[in-house]
Amino acid sequence: MTTKIDISFKRIQQLAIPAIIAGIAEPVLSSTDAAVVGNMELYSTESLAAVGIVGAFLSALIWVLGQTRSAISAVISQNLGAGKLDDIKVLPAQAVYFNIILSFVVLGATYFLAEEIFILFKAKGMILDLSLEYYTIRVWGFPLTLFTFALFGIFRGLQNTFWPMIVAMSGAGINIGLDFALVYGIEDIIMPMGIKGAAWASLISQLFMAIMALIFVLIKTDVSLRLRFPLHKEIDRLVGMSLNLFVRSLSLNIAIIIAVKEATELGKETIAAHTIAANIWLFTAFFIDGYGAAGNVLGGRLLGAKSYKDLWTLTKRLNLYNLVVAGLLMIAAFIFYESSGLLFSKDESVLQIFYTVFFIVILMQPLNSITFTLDAIFKGLGETAYLRNTLLGATFLGFVPMIYLSKYMEWGLTGIWIAFGVWMFIRTGALIIKYHNTYYKLAKRS
């Protein structure tokens, strides 16, 4: 007899609320660095610009390669739903070691080319120097983050978002405390380190999170991280899903990198303003993605159990919840419109540019809520090829033409964020069409 899978309001909140808290921890790390260095007495605008450039590049690497988390979660949750969890005992360890090897390969390929990479971002002079100072320290946290993400994928597949939340909250708290202590210094105890202090704060917090996540996997689950051979037959599917998500995230980050490059070209005040807008956008995106995480976790399990009607019910509920969240975020953003910018910078020229585009970030929230909800559900369902194609289309048929049209029309930073709006609109439409044509029809037939 098939066990009924709980998709009640209570169960969704049990998964979503910890996922929201865990999700916003990553942008909190970057946003704290940006806010703290942006309020230094010396070189605050240049430092904020440098954190924005390096943050965009590292986020690109993390998002591109961190997609194995979703692949691990999907494979484990689908096997859990099908009652075949014992069949994949050796798979989690193989996936984790795959992440570790991949992270060091990429680190080695980029570390010695850092200056050339940031020159491509149009960084120069003091901004380039500060970018290199920040990057050469913070980059060593990259393997730690991918390792932590892989362990989070195991927890998600096992329908548990609580322990990742504890890890993420602890890491964010440590990062915030160290940012203030190391950037500004503590009289007679720690000398002010400036932007290097922000990098060390991030690195130390990432190390702490990796150790903490490892301990929780070992003591809170039955998953073994001992590497055993031969490779599991599901490793091919996991790698295939990861490659699709790799290409998807690559196209996503092409859009982000082009935006940073164009904003940098417009001047240090513009890239600083763009950094503020991007950090707030990322914060709201991860906040919304919490309910998406519940869809990712439960969606894969429902697919494994072939419970298509429940999958449709889950999808409706999650979209409704996330639209409410998006509405609350919009209200909060409008109320704190001016103070949001002041958290990051006191430079009037930076703030003036930021305030001209912040309303676009706010108005995108309903689109973000639908897109991120369906996107996460599709990851749980293993629809990585369609997600790949959707991002490729949205980036190269929507975002890229629009951003270069805006450059030709001299719309400045406003044009960059209009391009992001077009990008999200295409993604939303494509995901709705796919869901209707496949899973809605399966629900109606079952």
Side-chain angles (χ1 to χ4, degrees), residues 37-50 126 130 195:
V37 302
N39 283 284
M40 294 190 305
E41 291 184 5
L42 295 175
Y43 312 124
S44 60
T45 300
E46 291 85 355
S47 296
L48 180 57
M126 182 174 290
L130 290 170
I195 197 169

Side-chain angles (χ1 to χ4, degrees), residues 273 337 349-361 411-415 417:
Y337 201 91
S349 57
V350 171
L351 292 173
Q352 187 176 1
I353 297 170
F354 165 70
Y355 292 139
T356 63
V357 300
F358 188 28
F359 76 97
I360 301 175
V361 177
W411 291 341
L413 190 58
T414 301
W417 281 94

Side-chain angles (χ1 to χ4, degrees), residues 61-62 65-69 72 92-104 140-155 164 167 205-218 223-226:
L61 292 180
I62 291 168
L65 300 175
Q67 295 302 316
T68 47
R69 172 181 61 178
I72 293 167
Q94 293 173 356
V96 169
Y97 281 93
F98 171 73
N99 252 27
I100 293 171
I101 294 169
L102 188 62
S103 66
F104 278 105
W140 294 102
F142 174 63
L144 298 170
T145 298
L146 287 193
F147 175 72
T148 305
F149 274 18
L151 299 183
F152 282 5
I154 293 172
F155 275 117
V167 172
S205 64
Q206 287 164 324
L207 174 61
F208 177 84
M209 289 169 67
I211 294 172
M212 197 172 179
L214 174 61
I215 292 170
F216 281 151
V217 167
L218 294 177
V223 173
S224 171
L225 293 181
R226 178 187 167 202

Side-chain angles (χ1 to χ4, degrees), residues 27-174:
V28 161
L29 261 64
S30 297
S31 296
T32 303
D33 285 0
V36 172
V37 302
N39 283 284
M40 294 190 305
E41 291 184 5
L42 295 175
Y43 312 124
S44 60
T45 300
E46 291 85 355
S47 296
L48 180 57
V51 168
I53 292 168
V54 175
F57 178 65
L58 284 177
S59 292
L61 292 180
I62 291 168
W63 284 356
V64 168
L65 300 175
Q67 295 302 316
T68 47
R69 172 181 61 178
S70 295
I72 293 167
S73 174
V75 171
I76 293 176
S77 62
Q78 287 173 24
N79 278 276
L80 178 64
K84 299 178 180 178
L85 197 57
D86 286 342
D87 295 346
I88 58 166
K89 283 184 176 179
V90 301
L91 184 63
Q94 293 173 356
V96 169
Y97 281 93
F98 171 73
N99 252 27
I100 293 171
I101 294 169
L102 188 62
S103 66
F104 278 105
V105 169
V106 174
L107 189 153
T110 60
Y111 184 81
F112 298 104
L113 298 173
E115 184 171 356
E116 289 77 9
I117 290 168
F118 297 132
I119 288 173
L120 288 175
F121 279 79
K122 302 297 183 181
K124 56 186 177 182
M126 182 174 290
I127 293 177
L128 177 59
D129 292 340
L130 290 170
S131 296
L132 291 171
E133 282 187 19
Y134 183 65
Y135 176 78
T136 51
I137 298 169
R138 193 178 165 191
V139 70
W140 294 102
F142 174 63
L144 298 170
T145 298
L146 287 193
F147 175 72
T148 305
F149 274 18
L151 299 183
F152 282 5
I154 293 172
F155 275 117
R156 281 194 178 188
L158 295 173
Q159 319 288 282
N160 187 318
T161 57
F162 178 78
W163 295 114
M165 175 193 72
I166 298 299
V167 172
M169 284 178 62
S170 302
I174 290 171

Side-chain angles (χ1 to χ4, degrees), residues 315-334:
T315 303
K316 288 188 292 183
R317 289 176 181 173
L318 291 176
N319 274 289
L320 175 62
Y321 300 157
N322 252 345
L323 283 170
V324 172
V325 171
L328 293 173
L329 288 170
M330 292 175 73
I331 293 169
F334 277 119

